[in-house]
Amino acid sequence: MAERDEEAARDEFRHALEELPLEADDVLSYRQESLPGRAWQRLKRGEISAQEELDLHGLDARTAESLLREFLADAREHGLGCVRVIHGKGRGSDDVGSRGAPVLKNLVDRMLRQRSGVLAFHSAPRAQGGTGAVLVLLARRRS
């Protein structure tokens, strides 16, 4: 029964991806209200160093989804505070939806918003990947 629930949740998540509202140059941005404003500003400016990085370029959505879940779980397990996820902009690739919007960028945005351990995320500064990458601030793992 748990497996069926998990599969139903995945199907619902993938169905939501069909809307694909974000475009290649759109900024990804999310913040939990509990995050102090100073930390949020530092993240947006790229002043918090990413301790690990995941590059999803060229992957299909199903593989990228699985790798991102594992990456975030592993990062939290190892007590990392900030990570970078490179999703690309979706220009000139096969990884665009029926409306021409970048699939991986939209997948990353939706997944990060649903993860309880994600305090905030913001598109990286230009020197760190710009709108083709996102810096993710993670909550500390509870003992």
Side-chain angles (χ1 to χ4, degrees):
M1 190 168 189
E3 287 178 23
R4 280 187 270 152
D5 288 345
E6 180 69 23
E7 187 60 34
R10 284 188 181 136
D11 288 342
E12 184 177 323
F13 177 78
R14 287 188 189 102
H15 179 69
L17 282 176
E18 293 173 4
E19 297 172 14
L20 298 172
L22 296 168
E23 299 297 326
D25 291 322
D26 288 347
V27 171
L28 299 186
S29 187
Y30 167 81
R31 170 188 173 199
Q32 285 189 9
E33 289 184 26
S34 61
L35 183 71
R38 185 175 176 97
W40 172 239
Q41 291 304 319
R42 289 187 63 223
L43 181 70
K44 286 172 55 174
R45 290 190 298 261
E47 295 174 357
I48 301 175
S49 297
Q51 297 164 292
E52 250 340 298
E53 179 176 279
L54 174 66
D55 190 344
L56 300 173
H57 271 119
L59 300 177
D60 63 89
R62 186 178 297 265
T63 303
E65 177 184 350
S66 176
L67 286 175
L68 183 56
R69 284 182 196 281
E70 291 173 23
F71 176 72
L72 292 173
D74 189 58
R76 293 229 24 234
E77 179 70 26
H78 288 91
L80 302 182
C82 183
V83 296
R84 180 175 29 253
V85 177
I86 301 169
H87 48 71
K89 294 184 180 185
R91 292 185 177 149
S93 73
D94 294 332
D95 195 27
V96 292
S98 59
R99 297 180 188 154
V103 172
L104 293 181
K105 183 172 190 163
N106 282 277
L107 174 111
V108 168
D109 180 69
R110 282 195 171 77
M111 282 188 68
L112 292 177
R113 288 175 189 276
Q114 294 178 352
R115 305 298 292 194
S116 62
V118 173
L119 294 175
F121 61 85
H122 197 277
S123 289
R126 176 177 262 171
Q128 296 180 35
T131 57
V134 63
L135 295 173
V136 183
L137 196 59
L138 300 171
R140 291 194 176 171
R141 189 174 61 112
R142 293 183 181 145
S143 301

